[in-house]
Amino acid sequence: MRKKPYQFRYIFRFQDNQFKEYRLRLDPVTLGLIREASDQEPADWTLLEYEQCACCPLKTDAYPRCPIAVNIMELVQAFKDVFSYH
């Protein structure tokens, strides 16, 4: 039997009554993020060689982009103008 993806919906409400909504879906078996189709090219800061973590075992020839950075790229973009304490 095929399971449906786990779906999460986050709504961030701010003091000025504005809000941002963020949705994500996870594969029910691997719990990996199911990315939505996007025409947006990944940002340069997602390149593995840009700022690879010292403990990261990935090689740039197999993984040109950091998988975690690619997964959070849209979230970072959506909140780039929001102060963390808001």
Side-chain angles (χ1 to χ4, degrees), residues 21-83:
E21 182 176 341
Y22 189 72
R23 294 174 186 253
L24 58 93
R25 296 182 314 140
L26 300 179
D27 180 283
V29 176
T30 67
L31 297 180
L33 180 67
I34 300 171
R35 295 196 67 228
E36 299 296 325
S38 174
D39 294 335
Q40 185 179 6
E41 183 70 24
D44 288 345
W45 59 265
T46 66
L47 289 167
L48 190 60
E49 63 187 19
Y50 179 78
E51 194 73 40
Q52 186 171 0
C53 297
C55 62
C56 178
L58 301 180
K59 304 290 182 209
T60 56
D61 55 339
Y63 295 90
R65 297 191 181 275
C66 170
I68 301 300
V70 171
N71 284 347
I72 67 167
M73 184 185 73
E74 291 178 23
L75 182 64
V76 169
Q77 184 66 24
F79 286 89
K80 71 179 184 180
D81 296 323
V82 178
F83 292 111

